[in-house]
Every structure is written in structure tokens, then in C-alpha cells.
Amino acid sequence: MEIIIKDIEHIREAAREFIAAFHDILSNDEAVKCFAFYAPMGAGKTTFIKAICEELGCEDVITSPTFAIVNEYEVPNSQLSARPKGALSQSEATERIFNFQLIYHFDLYRIKKTEELYDIGADDYFYSSNLCFIEWPEMAESALPDETIKITITPQPDGSRIVSV
């Protein structure tokens, strides 16, 4: 699957497409909901994750967890009937039920050893049935759940991005 982010003005549209593509995982209360984002520095990993979080209804300030390693964001009423912001009009809308209350946003750029992830209790985050977005997963791939979905963001010469699964 590929999602094209034409430019920053279309990133929310791409985020909605991402959410729709993974609706079954996001709505399954037993699923491991880990998404690993592979991309070069400056490709837009944090910006795309921010757009996804906002479309899911997160009202927290979304920033890169570079120094904290993990940020936690609350998704209000995510277990109730909730539609991502900016979704289809009321007449076209289909209700979406998401079974998670928190989003964990990781930046593993500073991780030097996989053991560092275990020291912060990463398994508790990964297997919590909450949503996990992981930047720089190559720093600790062996610690990620087998069910982790790998996402690649590839910058294009025209400034667009291709999001591949």
C-alpha cells in the first residue's frame, strides 16, 4: 500500500487515509498496535505522526520525543463512537470505534543498545493495546513486537512524500 503526501497542506488527508487503511487494527482491543516509521532525517516522520494523532482526536501538543525517548498522548473518548477530525461530512460519515486510550510516540534515535528499551519498560508500552508510533526503529528492531507494521516514508524530488507499508 502507498499513500502520497503531495505537500504539507495535504498531510491531514494522508493521515485520514492511513487511519482508514488500518481501521481493523486500530479498532481491535487485542491487537498489537505498533507502527515503525523508517525514513531519513527530515523526511517528515514526526509531522506525519502528528497529523495522524490529531486526526484521531488527540488534543495534546505532539512533539518529537527525541530526548524523552517516549511521549504519551491521550485520545479522549477513543472507545466511544469517534470519527477523526476532518472526516467525511455527517451525511457521508461512518462511525469509527477505536479501542485505545493512549498513543505512545517513541523516538529511538538516541538508543545505543536494545537493553535501554527494556530498562524503560518498552514491552509494557508495546503490548498495552494502545497505539505506538516508533521513529528510528532500526536502532532497536530486535525489541519490537513481531506484529509491528513497518512504514517507510520516502521524500521525492518534487517535495512530496511516499508512505509505503
Side-chain angles (χ1 to χ4, degrees):
M1 176 184 78
E2 286 189 350
I3 298 170
I4 296 174
I5 304 171
K6 295 177 191 175
D7 51 40
I8 195 70
E9 288 79 28
H10 292 92
I11 198 162
R12 300 287 290 260
E13 184 180 304
R16 287 191 294 275
E17 193 175 335
F18 180 91
I19 292 165
F22 293 106
H23 180 267
D24 289 346
I25 292 170
L26 298 176
S27 60
N28 182 343
D29 61 350
E30 295 179 17
V32 172
K33 300 174 183 76
C34 292
F35 295 87
F37 288 81
Y38 295 82
M41 184 79 70
K45 295 180 292 292
T46 301
T47 305
F48 188 52
I49 290 169
K50 178 180 190 289
I52 295 167
C53 292
E54 290 171 349
E55 288 297 316
L56 288 169
C58 182
E59 296 173 359
D60 293 335
V61 175
I62 313 298
T63 60
S64 177
T66 301
F67 296 103
I69 299 177
V70 62
N71 286 347
E72 179 180 299
Y73 314 123
E74 187 175 346
V75 182
N77 302 318
S78 62
Q79 291 192 5
L80 303 174
S81 293
R83 281 184 298 122
K85 292 179 183 177
L88 303 173
S89 69
Q90 283 292 73
S91 61
E92 303 172 301
T94 55
E95 294 296 314
R96 300 171 194 235
I97 299 173
F98 298 116
N99 288 315
F100 56 87
Q101 295 176 336
L102 298 171
I103 297 172
Y104 299 119
H105 180 190
F106 291 84
D107 183 329
L108 305 184
Y109 188 76
R110 295 183 328 118
I111 295 291
K112 300 296 180 222
K113 296 185 214 169
T114 303
E115 291 77 28
E116 292 177 60
L117 272 182
Y118 297 121
D119 290 345
I120 65 165
D123 280 351
D124 293 336
Y125 294 108
F126 297 155
Y127 294 100
S128 68
S129 292
N130 286 303
L131 189 54
C132 294
F133 291 133
I134 306 156
E135 296 185 41
W136 299 104
E138 52 273 322
M139 301 305 196
E141 282 187 319
S142 64
L144 302 179
D146 292 338
E147 303 88 349
T148 300
I149 296 169
K150 296 180 179 185
I151 311 292
T152 302
I153 300 175
T154 308
Q156 300 301 298
D158 66 358
S160 66
R161 305 290 194 260
I162 297 176
V163 180
S164 306
V165 180

